[in-house]
Amino acid sequence: MAILSARNCRKHHTKANGDGKRPHLCFLKGNDMRKKAEHFRLSEYLIFAGITLFTLCACICIGSVNIPMNETLTVIWNAIIRAPQPESLAASIILPVRLPRVICVALSGAALSLAGAAMQGLLKNPLADGSTLGVSSGASLGAVLAIAFGITFPAIPFAGTMIMAIIFAFLSLLIILGLSYKLDYSLSTNTIILIGVIYSMFVSSAMNVIIAFAGDKVKDITFWTMGSLQNSSYKNAVILAGVLLICGGILFSLARELNAFAVGEDNARHIGVDVRKTKLIVLITVSILIGVCVSIGGTIGFVGLVTPHMVRMLVGPNHKRLLPASAFGGAVFLLLADLVARILLDPIELPIGVVTSLVGALVFIFIFYQTRKR
Amino acid sequence: MLQVHNLTVSYGSHTVVDHLSFQVVEGQWLMIVGPNGAGKSTILNAITQGVNYTGTVLLNGTDVKKQKASSRAREIGVLAQNHHVGYEFTVEEIVRLGRYAHSSGLLSGRRNEDEAAVQRALELTGMAPQRQQSVLTLSGGELQRTFLAQVFAQGPRLLLLDEPTNHLDLVYQKQVFALISEWLKTPGRAVVSVVHDLSLARAFGTNALLMHKGRAVAQGEVKDVMSSGQLDRVYGMDVRDWMRTMLSQWDGDE
């Protein structure tokens, strides 16, 4: 197979040059991973999972206090088998603080990136991500309201912000889809993008009004909107894992439909995809993913935009491979960003959203430059 | 095979197709001709449920509107005019999408039947050597042949073509039309296509539907419909004279 692909590649090169066209990036097309199978093989899954797990462990070890890898693993192992934990600094840092945070970071990264990959395919727009629809802005508004007015829910007092964010995410989804239906029954891509942008603007001006009157809560609000997973708990991790599993499963089951959309919506209709139904399911699923992510970690930008691009360069545009690879890639990306946020200006911690936006914007320019250079 | 009855399509208050009725039987190649804005492409869009319409479209007696998208796609295939693929899919991936309506689930392994259809379509269109090439690097003609392969793999009985060779050079035009003529030779199949080139329509069509401002001006066998008197009226010019002028440019070449 490898020989065959190399030959194809060379042939293509000569042909392209003969035509006077610029040669195409062959190392990407000649990439064997892409030609072996449509689905990931088990070994490929294991490689991705291995890299993600390794990053995860490294992120647990490194911090304001560095803990050796073997000690870290011992602590975690003891916790898993419920063995008595020897009294140590490591255990008191890892178990209540770092572990839940790092797990939440990884899961959020996976969720955001998965949502981004799905939206980029669905809308056939490489600049789309989970926030394109405007749901994440809506969720932010809910959270900002909760912080500014100290809204809590009697049954679950600790999670006022989170619940408000989820409620507002869902309300936003209803408003956006309702409006889209009213304006354009066929839910065309342009309508969705336009309404998403307008809705986001409207919501952010509403947020600014609240901030203007928030007085001493301004710092809390600003910090929250920049995104942070600092105070993540195991509860958050469980919620995220559950949502990621369900929504990820739904999106993965629509991989073929997403491929068709990425080729073109008309083409999708022609080959027999139920276009409206698919769109609706993907939009709702992505909204749930994004709503939950925002409610737990605030708005963390650029992960959903950049990771699918990087992953696509590696595994190709087929969603059967792109979706799982994006989930792993997003986890690694956000883990590293969180690590930088923690250690760069230690003891001050940067909001993770700032790091992802900075790194993401740079990476994005680089990718853009690379693709245009061809 | 295909029966369209009282088809009406409106965008707002503007009626694009007005109470149009026609039918296509097996073995026919129906050419829909007429000036720009006559509503030709909209007819094809209505048949594939891309626009809202009133009236009925029956395929072998079944109302297409009530059909599931996938069962419709097993019967009706479409080759569009332009293709703007968003990402670096390979030729083979595009062609394989044509089997979407036939394969059941995501996780069901590749079926031999699907693989054979893909392979056949790639060979038929001559795209087999380029199966691993990214579609973003193809020429216009190769891209059109890739999508033709997709629709062949889809295996419909009715093929809808929307200006299939509009932006292609003569070589590709000839290739694509030859491939479609060959495809139509199998019994039980029919083609409906929208074309601007009246000579192409006359050369390949068995039947024609002449449209003007959303209405059918004439329909029937190609020779009868595309008479110069009728064309002159619809296009508002002397069509044959224009074509002769074009052809006469080659006079004295031999």
Side-chain angles (χ1 to χ4, degrees):
Chain A
M1 196 66 198
I3 298 164
L4 194 77
S5 64
R7 199 177 54 208
N8 277 348
C9 211
R10 206 177 314 127
K11 200 167 88 192
H12 172 229
H13 244 238
T14 23
K15 180 182 177 300
N17 288 332
D19 280 349
K21 281 188 239 161
R22 276 169 295 177
H24 197 74
L25 260 196
C26 233
F27 72 89
L28 289 180
K29 292 170 21 57
N31 192 325
D32 269 334
M33 276 171 82
R34 177 159 166 187
K35 286 180 188 169
K36 271 178 196 157
E38 266 191 302
H39 285 284
F40 265 145
R41 289 171 168 190
L42 186 63
S43 59
E44 287 170 313
Y45 269 115
L46 286 178
I47 293 170
F48 272 96
I51 294 171
T52 312
L53 268 180
F54 176 78
T55 320
L56 194 104
C57 290
C59 287
I60 298 173
C61 299
I62 307 166
S64 48
V65 179
N66 289 329
I67 302 159
M69 183 70 98
N70 56 358
E71 204 176 330
T72 306
L73 292 178
T74 321
V75 169
I76 295 174
W77 179 245
N78 282 343
I80 291 171
I81 59 166
R82 297 182 182 282
Q85 205 68 254
E87 274 301 313
S88 73
L89 181 65
S92 67
I93 290 177
I94 291 173
L95 291 178
V97 186
R98 270 193 208 162
L99 190 61
R101 172 188 183 143
V102 165
I103 291 175
C104 280
V105 167
L107 292 170
S108 297
L112 289 168
S113 170
L114 199 61
M119 288 296 276
Q120 287 176 8
L122 184 77
L123 302 178
K124 198 181 129 182
N125 188 332
L127 291 177
D129 70 352
S131 63
T132 307
L133 197 59
V135 171
S136 63
S137 316
S140 303
L141 180 65
V144 167
L145 276 171
I147 299 171
F149 299 109
I151 298 171
T152 50
F153 292 85
I156 351 178
F158 58 88
T161 322
M162 192 173 135
I163 290 173
M164 278 293 278
I166 291 179
I167 291 173
F168 268 70
F170 201 71
L171 283 178
S172 306
L173 178 67
L174 290 182
I175 292 171
I176 293 163
L177 285 184
L179 215 58
S180 309
Y181 262 107
K182 199 100 192 142
L183 290 174
D184 177 2
Y185 182 73
S186 64
L187 281 183
S188 83
T189 304
N190 286 340
T191 313
I192 290 170
I193 294 178
L194 205 64
I195 290 181
V197 169
I198 295 169
Y199 185 81
S200 301
M201 283 180 184
F202 172 74
V203 163
S204 60
S205 53
M207 249 163 25
N208 284 334
V209 173
I210 296 167
I211 290 170
F213 292 102
D216 56 332
K217 301 267 176 59
V218 170
K219 192 164 175 268
D220 285 350
I221 293 174
T222 328
F223 222 75
W224 191 87
T225 52
M226 284 191 284
S228 173
L229 288 154
Q230 201 167 352
N231 301 316
S232 307
S233 65
Y234 285 109
K235 273 199 199 76
N236 293 348
V238 171
I239 294 172
L240 266 174
V243 170
L244 182 63
L245 215 63
I246 295 168
C247 294
I250 293 173
L251 290 178
F252 187 67
S253 76
L254 292 172
R256 291 186 317 155
E257 284 82 355
L258 285 171
N259 282 341
F261 269 96
V263 170
E265 187 178 331
D266 284 333
N267 193 246
R269 193 180 77 243
H270 295 157
I271 61 167
V273 175
D274 191 335
V275 172
R276 265 163 44 85
K277 193 175 107 191
T278 308
K279 241 182 205 180
L280 214 58
I281 296 175
V282 172
L283 290 179
I284 292 174
T285 312
V286 165
S287 301
I288 294 172
L289 271 176
I290 293 297
V292 171
C293 279
V294 171
S295 71
I296 289 172
T299 36
I300 302 173
F302 270 98
V303 185
L305 182 62
V306 175
T307 328
H309 276 278
M310 296 197 280
V311 172
R312 206 177 283 118
M313 291 173 102
L314 199 68
V315 302
N318 191 333
H319 286 79
K320 290 176 193 174
R321 305 158 58 80
L322 180 64
L323 289 177
S326 288
F328 287 119
V332 172
F333 182 81
L334 203 59
L335 278 170
L336 294 176
D338 183 60
L339 187 65
V340 171
R342 279 189 288 144
I343 60 173
L344 191 66
L345 298 176
D346 189 48
I348 304 167
E349 193 180 310
L350 283 168
I352 190 169
V354 174
V355 178
T356 53
S357 297
L358 267 177
V359 176
L362 289 175
V363 171
F364 199 71
I365 292 170
F366 176 72
I367 294 174
F368 202 61
Y369 178 73
Q370 283 290 326
T371 39
R372 286 296 136 124
K373 215 171 54 173
R374 294 180 208 168
Chain B
M1 181 172 213
L2 178 75
Q3 277 151 333
V4 175
H5 191 63
N6 264 335
L7 179 74
T8 304
V9 183
S10 313
Y11 296 124
S13 59
H14 180 60
T15 303
V16 189
V17 177
D18 196 2
H19 292 92
L20 178 74
S21 301
F22 66 92
Q23 58 171 333
V24 181
V25 300
E26 292 176 4
Q28 276 184 348
W29 187 334
L30 177 73
M31 296 288 183
I32 304 179
V33 290
N36 284 331
K40 303 184 298 287
S41 300
T42 309
I43 301 171
L44 301 189
N45 269 334
I47 296 172
T48 58
Q49 311 299 306
V51 289
N52 252 325
Y53 62 85
T54 57
T56 47
V57 178
L58 297 181
L59 183 74
N60 300 321
T62 331
D63 189 345
V64 178
K65 211 174 217 171
K66 292 181 187 132
Q67 251 180 334
K68 273 179 68 181
S70 55
S71 29
R72 183 193 70 231
R74 283 196 291 272
E75 296 288 327
I76 308 178
V78 184
L79 180 64
Q81 179 177 171
N82 288 314
H83 309 280
H84 302 283
V85 180
Y87 303 98
E88 277 214 303
F89 286 99
T90 61
V91 169
E92 192 176 336
E93 280 171 327
I94 299 281
V95 177
R96 182 161 286 124
L97 275 175
R99 297 303 294 173
Y100 173 82
H102 295 269
S103 44
S104 45
L106 176 77
L107 292 172
S108 58
R110 287 187 181 177
R111 299 181 312 163
N112 291 338
E113 193 185 329
D114 293 334
E115 290 307 299
V118 170
Q119 182 63 30
R120 217 168 33 238
L122 282 168
E123 280 166 9
L124 212 58
T125 52
M127 289 306 290
Q130 283 159 287
R131 61 196 308 158
Q132 295 295 350
Q133 195 174 329
S134 153
V135 287
L136 299 185
T137 63
L138 298 178
S139 72
E142 290 166 338
L143 191 62
Q144 189 62 316
R145 285 205 321 243
T146 303
F147 278 90
L148 185 63
Q150 185 193 63
V151 83
F152 282 166
Q154 194 176 327
R157 304 212 293 142
L158 175 67
L159 187 55
L160 307 182
L161 313 169
D162 190 356
E163 301 276 4
T165 59
N166 211 21
H167 58 294
L168 301 187
D169 65 35
L170 291 177
V171 179
Y172 284 128
Q173 198 173 62
K174 196 176 157 192
Q175 277 179 358
V176 169
F177 271 86
L179 281 167
I180 293 164
S181 313
E182 197 56 43
W183 180 86
L184 185 59
K185 280 184 185 154
T186 307
R189 292 176 171 174
V191 180
V192 174
S193 64
V194 168
V195 281
H196 265 305
D197 191 324
L198 297 172
S199 312
L200 269 179
R202 261 194 92 124
F204 288 93
T206 61
N207 295 61
L209 170 64
L210 180 60
M211 298 277 301
H212 187 48
K213 294 188 176 155
R215 290 169 181 273
V217 178
Q219 49 182 312
E221 285 190 26
V222 150
K223 287 193 295 294
D224 306 332
V225 175
M226 297 183 70
S227 68
S228 59
Q230 220 137 215
L231 291 175
D232 291 356
R233 225 176 325 122
V234 168
Y235 284 85
M237 62 181 275
D238 191 337
V239 174
R240 285 239 321 243
D241 180 55
W242 173 251
M243 291 201 175
R244 269 201 208 101
T245 319
M246 288 293 108
L247 261 180
S248 67
Q249 305 302 315
W250 305 93
D251 289 354
D253 244 16
E254 287 104 315

